[in-house]
Every structure is written in C-alpha cells, then in structure tokens.
C-alpha cells in the first residue's frame, strides 16, 4: 500500500489521505481527512480504504502532513558522508546533530523545485523519512521504533550558501518546495532499516549516491527515543534519517542542481521521488519586485545586509 495526500478540485477542499490504487497508480481511494488519519494511523492502515475512488489526474497531490507536524532531521548520519564534508577531521558526536524543517517546505514527487535567487544551485540529499504513529514520551529505543507507522523516500534539497552563512542549518534546509516526499509505505511492508535498503540518488540519469540504510550511525529507534525524552512526539511527526556520501558540494569541482535538471531518489521498497529543478522566477506568484531579481542582484543585496 502506498499512502499519499490529495486535495480535491473544489473550493475550501481540505487535505485528505488516500491510497494509490489501480494499474500504474492511476487512481486514489480516499481513506480519511488528514486530521482523522493521524488521530489513528495504525487503525486506518489496518483496514481497506472505504472512501471514494478518484482518478489520480483529477486531484492535486500534496504531502499527507498535519500543519503542526514537526519534521526532525538528522545531520551526518552516514560515516562516508561526514568524511566528505567540513566535518571530515572531527569525531562524530555521541548524539545526532538534529535540525528542523517546517512542514511548509515539503512537497511531493513530480513537483518543480525552485533555486533561490542567491544560490548557485541546489544540492541533493537522498534520504528515508520515518513517520511517527503514536505519542511518545520518554520512550525506549524499542518502543520508539515500534511506534513508526511507515517510511517514505525523501530528498532533503539544500541551499548550501544559506546553510553555511551561520552555524545553524535552518535557513539552508527550508527553501520553498525543497523537501519532496514519496508515498508513505506502511512499516510492516518495509521492515527494519537496519536490514539495509538500497538508496540511490540520480541526477539526469547519472548515479550520484548509492548506499544502504544499514550504514546509518544513529538508528531510527535511538533517535526518536532521544527526542522523546525532551519533547513529546505526536502521530504525524516525521524523522528524516540523513543522507549517504555523494552530495554535490563536496565534489571537485562542486556540482549543483540547475534549472532543467531532474533529480531522483530511489529507495528499495519505497519507490522513486522524481523532481525537476526550475529557476527562482517560479518560486512565487507574488508581485514583489524582489521575486524576479537576477541571482547576482540578490547576492549583492544579501552581502550588503550582512
């Protein structure tokens, strides 16, 4: 079963959770509103969807994410990735480096992702996302892992210049539409990531990342347990588990995604997330003059304000 978010084409339509159905995922069968689904995700997934079946082409695909969900992300969770960047000469800490995304930065397979005006391009980071399905407070690693209701392929597309302006990564990790999510696949169909699911990222068909999830330093259960000892995790929260080696900025010379490029993240058992990169003019339909400035103008303006 593959679970997605949809919005029907009528005024005031809310987000609903649906299952992809039919040959080639040509249709979706509605399960529940996103609020009702995340009130009892395991219950909804334990029975066949009973809502209307609609043509996939007739609905808008959106992330099946609650507006107030928290998106926790692990940095430097594969040893080879840590070694290829600016942390190559440092010991990995005992605990994971965690940063956050806002749900508004998330998008879906097939969406166009814009390059911000002051960036030379976007960097790819193929990952797996774990979806929390139960409330977790002071959970053990075993309890936390058992509470994961599903997994998705994910691309943590990163604005490297913004990321490196400060010691915190938040700005570079929250670009518009920079977090494409694949469908949620129930955990029972996936199993434990420690079995080693193959993860591959391709740019215009060329393989850039190729690794397996058993190479993670910090496991899903351990990380969710750690978080739950400080704040309560709720159904619908997400954990992005980090990326393996092969990102673009560490290459010689660096390689970044440009408008017109296609980037794909494929995870064994979870499918492919495929997105096209577009220019900054596609970022917004707003009328502000700043929306369509040339990259060099935006960069000069940013430098003047720093």
């Amino acid at each position: 079963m593959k679970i997605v978010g949809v919005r029907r084409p009528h005024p005031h339509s809310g987000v609903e959770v649906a299952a992809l159905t039919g040959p080639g995922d040509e249709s979706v069968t509605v399960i529940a509103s996103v609020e009702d689904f995340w009130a009892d995700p395991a219950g909804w997934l334990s029975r066949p969807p009973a809502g209307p079946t609609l043509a996939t082409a007739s609905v808008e695909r959106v992330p099946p994410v609650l507006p107030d969900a928290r998106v926790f992300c692990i940095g430097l969770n594969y040893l080879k990735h840590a070694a290829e960047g600016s942390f190559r000469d440092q010991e990995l800490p005992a605990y994971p480096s965690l940063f956050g995304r806002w749900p508004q930065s998330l998008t879906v397979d097939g969406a166009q992702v814009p390059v911000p005006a002051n960036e030379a391009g976007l960097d790819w980071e193929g990952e797996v996302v774990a979806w929390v399905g139960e409330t977790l407070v002071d959970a053990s690693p075993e309890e936390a892992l058992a509470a994961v209701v599903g997994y998705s392929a994910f691309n943590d597309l990163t604005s490297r210049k913004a990321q490196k302006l400060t010691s915190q990564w938040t700005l570079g990790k929250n670009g518009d539409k920079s977090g494409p999510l694949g469908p949620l696949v129930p955990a029972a169909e996936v199993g434990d990531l420690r079995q080693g699911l193959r993860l591959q990222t391709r740019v215009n068909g060329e393989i850039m990342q190729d690794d397996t999830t058993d190479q993670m330093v910090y496991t899903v259960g351990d990380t969710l347990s750690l978080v739950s000892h400080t704040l309560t995790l709720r159904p619908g929260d997400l954990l992005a588990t980090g990326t393996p080696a092969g990102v673009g900025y560490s290459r010689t010379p660096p390689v970044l995604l440009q408008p017109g490029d296609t980037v794909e993240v494929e995870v064994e058992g979870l499918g492919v997330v495929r997105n096209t990169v577009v220019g900054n003019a596609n970022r917004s339909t707003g009328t502000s003059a700043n929306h369509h400035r040339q990259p060099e103008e935006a960069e000069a303006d940013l430098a003047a304000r720093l």
Side-chain angles (χ1 to χ4, degrees), residues 3 8 14-18 30-47 64-68 132-133 149 235-236:
I3 304 301
R8 300 193 218 186
V15 175
E16 296 175 297
V17 176
V30 174
I31 297 173
S33 70
V34 69
E35 293 82 7
D36 287 347
F37 178 86
W38 287 112
D40 182 24
W44 288 108
L45 292 176
S46 68
R47 51 188 183 268
V65 177
L66 289 166
D68 61 350
V132 177
V149 74

Side-chain angles (χ1 to χ4, degrees), residues 161-185:
K161 181 175 181 180
Q163 181 189 11
K164 295 178 178 298
L165 287 176
T166 73
S167 61
Q168 304 299 313
W169 296 354
T170 304
L171 184 60
K173 295 291 188 174
N174 278 279
D176 293 342
K177 298 184 179 180
S178 64
L181 274 167
L184 182 157
V185 179

Side-chain angles (χ1 to χ4, degrees), residues 77-85 124-126 199-201 207-212 215 242-248 250-251:
N77 199 17
Y78 288 75
L79 286 174
K80 291 180 181 177
H81 175 52
E84 71 180 345
W124 55 85
E125 291 195 6
L199 187 161
Q200 192 176 89
T201 303
I207 297 172
M208 297 297 187
Q209 294 179 293
D210 196 352
D211 210 333
T212 52
Q215 298 303 303
T243 197
V247 296
S250 66
R251 295 169 182 264

Side-chain angles (χ1 to χ4, degrees), residues 107-115 122 155 157 176-178 180 202 204 257-264 273-279 282:
T107 189
V108 295
D109 170 56
Q112 295 182 328
V113 182
V115 179
L122 290 172
N155 197 346
L157 289 165
D176 293 342
K177 298 184 179 180
S178 64
R202 298 181 291 270
N204 300 327
L257 296 166
Q258 303 298 316
D261 287 341
T262 297
V263 57
E264 300 170 297
V273 177
R274 180 182 295 105
N275 297 89
T276 301
V277 176
V278 294
N282 294 268

Side-chain angles (χ1 to χ4, degrees), residues 47-84:
R47 51 188 183 268
T53 296
L54 310 165
T56 303
S58 72
V59 298
E60 178 189 3
R61 283 274 300 274
V62 294
V65 177
L66 289 166
D68 61 350
R70 280 80 54 87
V71 186
F72 300 92
C73 305
I74 306 177
L76 307 176
N77 199 17
Y78 288 75
L79 286 174
K80 291 180 181 177
H81 175 52
E84 71 180 345

